[in-house]
């Protein structure tokens, strides 16, 4: 016969707790909060009490009020002291008494995200930031400065001195509480965030922004300027008496033995409570249910919150979805900024498959379709691009054409055109192999050094050789802090998972996170595109288009090329002047290659009589090849 295990069931235990009272445990807050139901929470939200006082313990001094005792709080306590449980209980207690319209929370958990497992579900939470996404945490906290300026403008519009006057005048600007669990980890990850928190601590009182900062050891991380504004101080059990003296001026917290034992500033010792795991989940469910009931009652205005920062940049924006080739992430402004390239060359760098070619294509498309000043676009690349709407397009299988184009533009040809060099290392290698070592580097360096209206869009895997000649630098695919340091990029802009087209724009002495917006630009040959295909780009008139040299030129092909060539206008001089004769002799990179010869005296007669002239005239002063011109008497053959 199997023996039954001694003990009681969970259902029987909950029945005993209900019979004895939910708050039989000294650290259980359910009895102090009154075990509110959904109806109780909705009624409390509709009453909208003005204060922020909540009981966090049975003793009278354990009732904490951020308005009266704050406006900011510092919580110190070592591992196992009940610090994290206190923070979550504090947030849930406030949320059960105030609607999201009046009170919102920004939760920062730099201990892996476990502290606010339940609190992150309530409608009051405008963001849950963790150390698992340091880039997102940094951008959100830095946006708090923008939130302060926004609140200043709102108060100025109503003529209120602080948030209390604003709300007394009928304003509905709510309060924001920023709760940070493990301040030291946040500051050590990015020291610039400490300055943001100091700004909030200095200006937050009148603007309705409050800080609750928790750490195991405040020494070395809580600066004097920050400490001066943290007037509400709670010290749980700490390991060293020096830490206790630093927070509350007493060494007693170093001798505490149980969780929840605390000293509140210079008050007496008290026992703070917490919500056991099941109780925290039940209270969170009640708050979420209250939000659903309020929404069904069409009182959704009680649930309105204002997120103090922008959503992150889109991971894969649709082609042509933006008005420019780049979107910049500035959390302090209310919308993502569209970046348009200004004067100067632009360098795009990054490892393979980081989106270099897509970025160059978007930038080239913008240059070619700019309604204010459309320009031609020449492309040199490893694979070669489709030539729709472009000028000269040369792949690495045409190194002589690439060298000719670089030399021509560097010498002043087609000065307004944009020159795209995709995969500069491969282009240089192909030119060097065909023309000699060092030629490709010299030609590209000369192009970057040339002062011309048109810009160069250069794509390379490494920036070190080309960065001095570029005005703007888009660094894509930055994978870690070491790569960022090599590029001179701040560590705060490094993302743990770099996306194609995501990078950092270095321009004008600042560094901004950027995302490439693909555009209907010419695409490399051999790559698939959308079924509809990109829109054809109109080639501006007069854009140079070099072609590879043919092996042979027949007379018929030469005559056809002369007819297709742009018409040359004769100089505006006297009709009796004798201009040189342009004699086509072959085909060059730019089209028809002709030879200028002095016009003899008898050509005026030929022009007048039409002797030897072709029935389909070319440009003025051009002698068609193969024309059977009769020689005047006495002229040598």
């Amino acid at each position: 016969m199997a023996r039954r295990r001694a003990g009681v069931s969970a259902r029987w235990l909950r029945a005993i707790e209900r019979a004895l009272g939910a708050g039989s445990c000294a650290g259980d807050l359910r009895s102090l909060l009154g075990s509110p139901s959904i109806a109780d929470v909705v009624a409390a939200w509709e009453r909208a009490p003005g204060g922020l006082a909540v009981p966090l313990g049975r003793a009278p001094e354990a009732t904490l009020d951020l308005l009266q005792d704050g406006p900011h709080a510092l919580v110190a306590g070592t591992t196992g002291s009940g610090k994290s449980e206190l923070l979550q209980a504090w947030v849930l207690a406030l949320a059960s008494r105030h609607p999201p319209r009046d009170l919102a929370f920004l939760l920062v958990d730099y201990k892996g995200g476990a502290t606010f497992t339940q609190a992150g579900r309530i409608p009051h939470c405008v963001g849950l930031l963790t150390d698992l996404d340091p880039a997102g945490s940094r951008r959100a906290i830095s946006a708090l400065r923008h939130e302060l300026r926004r609140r200043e403008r709102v108060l100025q519009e109503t003529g209120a001195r602080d948030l209390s006057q604003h709300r007394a005048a009928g304003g509905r600007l709510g309060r924001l509480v920023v709760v940070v669990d493990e301040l030291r980890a946040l500051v050590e990850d990015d020291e610039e965030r400490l300055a943001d928190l100091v700004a909030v601590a200095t200006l937050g009182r009148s603007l309705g922004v409050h800080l609750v900062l928790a750490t195991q050891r405040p020494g070395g991380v809580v600066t004097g300027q920050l400490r001066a504004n943290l007037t509400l101080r709670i010290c749980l059990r700490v390991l060293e008496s020096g830490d206790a003296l630093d927070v509350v001026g007493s060494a007693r917290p170093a001798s505490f033995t149980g969780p929840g034992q605390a000293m509140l500033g210079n008050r007496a010792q008290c026992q703070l409570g917490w919500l056991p795991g099941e109780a925290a989940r039940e209270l969170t469910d009640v708050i979420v249910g209250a939000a659903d009931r309020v929404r069904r009652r069409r009182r959704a205005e009680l649930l309105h919150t204002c997120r103090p920062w922008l959503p992150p940049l889109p991971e894969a924006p649709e082609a042509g979805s933006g008005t420019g080739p780049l979107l910049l992430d500035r959390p302090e402004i209310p919308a993502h900024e569209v970046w348009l390239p200004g004067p100067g060359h632009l360098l795009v760098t990054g490892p393979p498959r980081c989106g270099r070619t897509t970025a160059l294509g978007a930038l080239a498309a913008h240059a070619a379709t700019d309604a204010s000043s459309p320009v031609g676009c020449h492309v040199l690349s490893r694979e070669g691009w489709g030539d729709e709407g472009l000028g000269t397009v040369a792949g690495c299988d045409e190194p002589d054409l690439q060298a000719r184009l670089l030399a021509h533009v560097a010498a002043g040809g087609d000065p307004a055109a944009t020159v795209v060099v995709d995969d500069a290392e491969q282009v240089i290698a192909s030119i060097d192999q065909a023309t000699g070592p060092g030629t490709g580097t010299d030609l590209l360096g000369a192009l970057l050094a040339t002062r011309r209206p048109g810009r160069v869009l250069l794509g390379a895997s490494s920036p070190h050789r080309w960065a001095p000649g570029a005005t703007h630098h888009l660094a894509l695919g930055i994978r870690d802090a070491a790569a960022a340091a090599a590029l001179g990029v701040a560590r705060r802009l490094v993302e743990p998972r770099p996306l194609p087209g995501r990078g950092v724009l270095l321009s004008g002495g600042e560094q901004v996170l950027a995302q490439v917006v693909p555009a209907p630009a010419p695409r490399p040959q051999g790559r698939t595109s959308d079924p509809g295909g990109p829109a054809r780009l109109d080639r501006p008139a007069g854009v140079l288009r070099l072609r590879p040299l043919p092996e042979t030129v027949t007379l018929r092909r030469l005559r056809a090329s002369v007819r297709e060539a742009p018409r040359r206008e004769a100089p505006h001089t006297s009709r009796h002047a004798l201009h040189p004769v342009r004699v086509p002799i072959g085909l060059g990179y730019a089209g028809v290659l002709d030879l200028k010869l002095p016009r003899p005296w008898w050509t005026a007669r030929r022009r007048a009589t039409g002797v030897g002239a072709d029935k389909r005239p070319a440009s003025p002063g051009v002698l068609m090849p193969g024309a059977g011109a009769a020689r005047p008497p006495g002229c040598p053959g």
Side-chain angles (χ1 to χ4, degrees), residues 192-271:
E192 295 182 5
R193 301 289 72 80
L194 182 60
D196 297 325
L197 295 177
V198 169
V200 174
T202 304
L203 304 174
R205 175 187 291 271
S206 61
L207 300 177
V209 182
H210 306 269
L211 293 176
V212 178
L213 307 179
T215 182
Q216 293 189 16
R217 299 190 62 185
V221 65
V222 181
T223 63
Q225 188 175 4
L226 185 60
R227 186 189 305 273
N229 293 279
L230 299 175
T231 52
L232 175 56
R233 302 180 184 180
I234 304 171
C235 188
L236 301 161
R237 180 171 59 87
V238 292
L239 297 179
E240 298 181 5
S241 58
D243 295 329
L245 290 170
D246 191 25
V247 177
V248 294
S250 172
R252 190 181 304 173
S255 61
F256 289 162
T257 57
Q261 291 181 291
M263 286 195 65
L264 308 179
N266 55 2
R267 308 177 190 177
Q269 175 182 344
C270 65
Q271 175 70 41

Side-chain angles (χ1 to χ4, degrees), residues 45 95 98-105 122-125 174-175 287 291 301-306:
W45 287 0
H98 300 270
R101 179 196 61 190
D102 297 341
L103 185 64
F105 295 96
I122 61 177
H124 306 67
C125 179
R175 297 185 181 276
I287 296 173
E301 73 277 2
L302 292 175
L303 305 179
H304 175 72
T305 58
C306 181

